Amino acid sequence: MSSEVVFNLEYLTRLEESARTLESTPQQRSEMMFKAQREVDAYLEQLSLDHPTGWVIPPKETQGQDKLVQPGQYQVQSGPNQVQSGPDRAQSGPDRVQSGPDQVQSGPDQVQSGRGPHETEPLPIQENGVSIDEVLRDFSRIGNEMEREGHPGHMAYVPGNSTAPAAIGDFLAASFNPYSLNVASCRRAVKMQQMIVQWVGRLFGYPSACAGNLTSGGTVATMVAMTTARDHKVPRSKDYSRSVLYLSELTHDGVAKCLSTLGMREAVVRKVPVDDKYRMDVNILRKFIENDVQNNLLPFLVVATTGTTDVGSVDPVPAIRAVATQYNMWLHVDACYGGFFVLCNSAKHLFEGVETADSIAVDPHKGLYAPFGTGLVLVRNGTLLRNSNTRQHGNYMQDQLTNPEDWNPEDLTFEQSAHFRAPRVLLPLQLYGVATFRDALQEKLELAKYLYLRLKGQAHIQVVEPVLSTVLFRIPGVSDNTNRALLREITTDGRFFITTTTVKGVLYLRVIIFCYRTHRQDVDVFINKVKDAVVKMELPEVEFCHAG
């Protein structure tokens, strides 16, 4: 028995009136954007004053008033001519939206980060809405409780940075909101993405037959590549348990993590030791493979890294390629951190052989200063990538006009309703030009060499010569606890944020110079911090400790 359909026009009219609230007017949009921009400007201004891990203003002497560095030709004056950290350090005017009476202050009475959950809960989702001012007040508190990866003193992990044009690109992408993974839905959005992919492919020497996609990050880019490798090299699931993946001991942990997502949890993972330059030892790799073949295992994938996260070292890709070819293996290159240094003439030789890799993962949210959530995968033979990801449309899309010659992004990744990521990468490149990014990255390489040379001449300090923009140093001949004490002394006032790492069983203090706001004056202040910290530790007199 069918029920009677009831329609109430008055009820529908009331629903329409409420729904139209979502249709903001130009004036409303302008007001919201203006107020949001004031919060951004205030945050970026504060970025020049606070420390990289919370709203704590460092002592005055570390904010451009440091003593002069005295390295002879490297002398830098920190005074009125101090280089500012980019044009985006906008001033906040008197009409900035304030964060209410309970705003976390940046002075001596400021609330430290790490407060209890009851103090950090965001504005709740409620039945009825609130004003834009209240929403922005609440959102801006995120700045009180985050690591400031765009801070010039943030030299830990691999800090992410974002530019103003990238943020505008995200705003445009969200406002126009195209479905960017199918030519039939928005050809121009697809072409924008393909332009980026092909440009990056050319940087690494890939042929035009390559294909790829923008992803949510390096791990997803790696997973897409590994899926293609699995489908091509290990087509039968019954062989997963005897399949072998080869990494170096310094390969990023995200690579092995992908195996579980790919349904290959039972696969064998071999971690190949690194040599004295922290590169994968190819001789040991070959021995591992030979032994596995003799034991009826299936070597299917080897991962080389161009820019390890711990050290910045670069694996010998040509030699690894030769081994992979001999044993019919897929070669994937993890270039997530170091990849865009290929733009720099002084570093191009480090990427020799990458053009022969079967796949590459690289992160625009690192070397191109895009917002977090921007990775990129490239597969040399694009057809293999397409074969692993081609979408079989449901009946609801049967009327959509398609062209078999169109390479839709949705057929090159497992993602479908993905964010339109291209503008956050393309707009900054179009506005600033590639040369600006090349210079910014080259500056970081030069600053790493500068830091290395300055620390190399300091008593009690052993320093590892950098390959890219990561510098390791330590006090040799003492306990790990003593080196951790050195870390605490360097970072105690909050001007810098660095961490430790352990490489080949040795603990080091690790500095990565990657933020585009970090310049020589910041490195000089850091060097003074190291020197002062060593003096305070009252270590016995020793000879200079050279690179280790």
Side-chain angles (χ1 to χ4, degrees), residues 240-251:
Y240 289 177
S241 62
R242 68 186 190 94
S243 300
V244 189
L245 166 65
Y246 301 88
L247 317 170
S248 96
E249 60 181 300
L250 295 180
T251 300

Side-chain angles (χ1 to χ4, degrees), residues 471-473 483 486-487 490 498-500 507-511:
V471 180
L472 305 185
F473 68 96
N483 276 292
L486 175 64
L487 173 72
I490 292 170
I498 66 171
T499 58
T500 64
L507 184 136
Y508 290 93
L509 280 68
R510 175 183 176 275
V511 176

